[in-house]
């Protein structure tokens, strides 16, 4: 696959529907690889007329794993580097969780590159409200896969269930397959700590978000235990004209049963950009 470059950082990325006239850049959450935007979901966006671009954030997947600290501004610049490498001047941007924070930062720092934004299961700062069980998912390190692979898999499956969507549950077989596939592709638990530090260092973006003037949809689960609904409500309240969509039974993940819900939100924001053009 191709790689983009931002300074010393290389970013693995993949595109779908390269013949489509407008692109949607998909940005991942904390510690997650670009495969969390499944090919089947990207195919839905292509079928709706858009080019889909997914990539591994720095410190995840097949992108560079830096050892020094970095910021969300750096991660937003990474995303712009991916657009440059893909030959995209302006894009619709969509991000989940930390990825939602990154697309907010892209819209703030690089407004000329953005057509529309969809902020999903995210918040205007790292001061999110989470249940203790959900916070443990990102705070407790996994067992060593070398020492006990089955315990490692069970840990990943339990975490996914803890923060997942209660009305759109994965099967055990699906979750096991995902944990195994992600471990085989890349495993960098140290990156989670550096990404969390980047989130914390970015502070509260509320006042900066008030200056955004692009079509925006904020999508959030009513049953999200990691970034509870107040995060989405605060994001939408800060961005002029933003539409807030609260989804019953949705937690903090993208199961197949929600593919169309996510695609509808992203494509609605994109369609409004065309109307406003």
């Amino acid at each position: 696959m191709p790689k983009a470059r931002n300074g010393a950082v290389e970013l693995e990325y993949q595109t779908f529907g390269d013949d489509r006239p407008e692109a949607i850049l998909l940005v991942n959450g904390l510690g997650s690889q670009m495969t969390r935007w499944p090919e089947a979901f990207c195919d839905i966006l292509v079928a709706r007329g858009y080019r889909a671009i997914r990539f591994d954030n720095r410190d995840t997947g097949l992108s560079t794993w830096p050892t020094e600290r970095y910021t969300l501004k750096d991660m937003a610049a990474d995303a712009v580097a991916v657009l440059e490498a893909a030959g995209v001047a302006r894009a619709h941007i969509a991000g989940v969780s930390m990825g939602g924070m990154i697309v907010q930062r892209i819209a703030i720092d690089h407004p000329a590159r953005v057509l529309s934004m969809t902020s999903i299961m995210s918040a205007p700062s790292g001061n999110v409200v989470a249940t203790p069980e959900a916070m443990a998912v990102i705070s407790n390190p996994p067992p060593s896969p070398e020492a006990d692979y089955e315990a490692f898999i069970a840990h990943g499956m339990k975490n996914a269930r803890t923060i997942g969507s209660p009305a759109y549950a994965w099967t055990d077989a699906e979750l096991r397959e995902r944990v195994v596939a992600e471990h085989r592709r890349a495993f960098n638990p140290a990156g989670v700590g550096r990404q969390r530090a980047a989130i914390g260092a970015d502070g509260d973006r509320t006042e900066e978000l008030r200056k955004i003037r692009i079509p925006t949809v904020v999508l959030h689960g009513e049953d999200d235990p990691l970034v509870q609904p107040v995060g989405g409500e605060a994001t939408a309240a800060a961005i002029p004209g933003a539409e807030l969509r609260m989804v019953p039974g949705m937690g903090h993940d993208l199961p197949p049963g929600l593919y169309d819900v996510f695609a509808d939100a992203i494509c609605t924001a994109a369609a409004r950009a065309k109307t406003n053009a």
Side-chain angles (χ1 to χ4, degrees), residues 4-11 58 64 73-82:
R5 179 176 287 276
N6 179 23
V9 174
E10 287 191 331
L11 301 143
R58 63 170 67 194
T64 300
K73 285 181 174 288
D74 296 322
M75 300 183 81
D78 290 344
V80 172
V82 170

Side-chain angles (χ1 to χ4, degrees), residues 29 32 35-38 41 95-97 120-122 137 156-171 174-175 178 182 219-227 247-263:
S32 65
T35 49
R36 290 289 181 95
W37 294 103
F41 177 77
V96 294
S97 197
I120 304 168
M121 58 179 100
S122 194
V137 167
M157 293 173 64
K158 178 184 177 182
N159 282 352
R161 290 233 181 270
T162 298
I163 65 173
S165 299
Y168 303 89
W170 301 79
T171 66
E174 289 170 334
L175 285 181
R178 191 180 82 179
E182 290 181 348
L219 182 68
H220 215 102
E222 289 185 1
D223 296 284
D224 190 332
L226 185 59
V227 181
V247 182
M250 172 180 158
H252 201 81
D253 63 350
L254 174 52
L258 287 173
Y259 284 0
D260 284 335
V261 172
F262 276 52

